[in-house]
Each structure stands twice: as structure tokens, then as C-alpha cells.
Amino acid sequence: SQQGEEDPQALSIQEGENATMNCSYKTSINNLQWYRQNSGRGLVHLILIRSNEREKHSGRLRVTLDTSKKSSSLLITASRAADTASYFCATVLGGKLIFGQGTELSVKP
Amino acid sequence: DVKVTQSSRYLVKRTGEKVFLECVQDMDHENMFWYRQDPGLGLRLIYFSYDVKMKEKGDIPEGYSVSREKKERFSLILESASTNQTSMYLCASSPTSATQPQHFGDGTRLSIL
């Protein structure tokens, strides 16, 4: 079952630039979560946004949620080489978290 | 900080072997999960458990079983390993609801020869 889909699949930027990743989903949600995965490691939870929230910040991360369009975006400002990773959105379907395929972000020094 | 520890980072086994993957969490979480991650297929849920001795099938349980005898430990068992089970296996835990943020281990990269 494919609940969340990220776009683009891959993104390459220079250090200092902003990176924007998008997630679209199909059914109503209670919350939407973003995770990061460094190469060869497990996923790390970044931020959770509830269905009644429109925007949330955490450090250099900004997440927006548009429930009318069933979409969310993750913005990383002033990116660093250490931000190079895959980023996943996750939504709830059937009482379980379903992860999208992810966006591979490469930040070049 | 929650720590989820998987027993092996890399594992090589032979076809037909019975394989055990172990996962331990140190934060008294109710829920534990096993996923496999494959290129182009993303993360797929194999099994999860919401309490000791309880288990629920995920999306791809065939060829796997699980055991949760203690709250902190969740084991994934490949009954008779096959080459199509070569994958990255990720264990995760969450406090009281399966939809809360999950904490992941670093994964076990399993190769079946």
C-alpha cells in the first residue's frame, strides 16, 4: 500500500542552499511525520505535524501541511554537507505507519 | 535518549538456515516493529508487537515469524532462509501507539547465499 509519496526522488544542491522535499498522501491523517536516514543507518525521527497544524519549525527544518491538498513539504534551510541523507514522510494507514519511498538529498560542499 | 540495539550490523547465512535477528530497546516501549528495506520498494512492515507475547502481521509476513517474550526484546526469525530474503532489516519501537514517532536501530544487512 502506498500512502505517502515523496517528490523529487533525488535532489542535489550546494551547501548553503535551501532544500525542499514534498510528500503527497491519499487518505485523511491524524499526523504526518518526517524521518532522515543516513547511508547504512536506521531512520531518525525529525518532526511530527498534526492534522490541525499548518506549519511547524525545528531548528533549520520547516514543515508545512496542507490537508486540503493532502500534501506536506519539508524545507531545510542553509543546508550543510551533513544534511546529505534520505528523507521519508510517514502517515498512518490501518493503524500503522506507512513510509514513502524517500527523497535522496545530496549536499555538495 | 531511546536506544534500539540490533545484535548484528552485517550477517551472512546460507539458504535453508534458520536465522535469528535480535532487537533490544531500553525505554520500556510498548510497541516494537520489524521492517525490511529494499531499493525501489522502501520500508515494508513484516511484523509488529504491541505487548509481550502479542504479535500482529504486517504487510509481508510470509517466511518470517517473531517472538516477544520480554518487553524489551523482539526477535525476527527466518524459518528457512531464502535468497529473496537478502535485505536490510530494521527494528523500531514506539511508546504507546503504533502511530507515534518510532525509534530505529541501525539495521542488520543480511545476505543469504
Side-chain angles (χ1 to χ4, degrees), chain B residues 31-48:
Chain B
N31 302 283
M32 296 188 75
F33 311 84
W34 276 107
Y35 297 89
R36 63 177 284 177
Q37 184 176 27
D38 301 285
L41 297 176
L43 268 78
R44 293 180 290 168
L45 182 64
I46 305 170
Y47 267 98
F48 68 100

Side-chain angles (χ1 to χ4, degrees), chain A residues 3-109:
Chain A
Q3 166 71 326
E5 292 189 23
E6 289 90 345
D7 171 63
Q9 289 189 335
L11 181 60
S12 182
I13 59 174
Q14 295 293 131
E15 222 170 15
E17 294 180 342
N18 295 342
T20 300
M21 289 158 268
N22 303 296
C23 170
S24 59
Y25 57 91
K26 296 175 184 173
T27 64
S28 298
I29 59 169
N30 288 325
N31 69 61
L32 185 143
Q33 301 174 31
W34 284 93
Y35 290 77
R36 183 188 75 233
Q37 184 180 32
N38 291 90
S39 180
R41 307 297 293 271
L43 279 72
V44 174
H45 178 257
L46 295 175
I47 198 163
L48 180 153
I49 186 165
R50 301 186 196 286
S51 60
N52 61 353
E53 297 175 310
R54 291 295 167 261
E55 190 170 309
K56 203 161 182 180
H57 297 254
S58 177
R60 292 183 297 112
L61 306 181
R62 173 179 165 244
V63 169
T64 61
L65 180 64
D66 186 336
T67 53
S68 66
K69 294 181 179 177
K70 291 188 169 59
S71 69
S72 174
S73 68
L74 170 67
L75 168 68
I76 304 174
T77 59
S79 63
R80 305 166 183 168
D83 294 327
T84 294
S86 293
Y87 292 82
F88 298 86
C89 67
T91 55
V92 176
L93 183 64
K96 296 172 290 189
L97 265 188
I98 305 296
F99 292 84
Q101 297 269 346
T103 293
E104 265 190 52
L105 174 65
S106 174
V107 181
K108 299 188 186 315

Side-chain angles (χ1 to χ4, degrees), chain B residues 45-61:
Chain B
L45 182 64
I46 305 170
Y47 267 98
F48 68 100
S49 168
Y50 52 88
D51 201 354
V52 175
K53 297 194 187 296
M54 305 302 289
K55 61 185 179 185
E56 292 282 344
K57 292 180 180 179
D59 297 319
I60 51 163

Side-chain angles (χ1 to χ4, degrees), chain B residues 60-84:
Chain B
I60 51 163
E62 297 78 18
Y64 303 94
S65 62
V66 290
S67 172
R68 193 163 180 207
E69 296 296 318
K70 293 184 178 181
K71 193 173 187 179
E72 67 270 19
R73 187 178 296 269
F74 193 35
S75 303
L76 179 69
I77 303 153
L78 285 66
E79 297 292 343
S80 177
S82 64
T83 54
N84 63 11

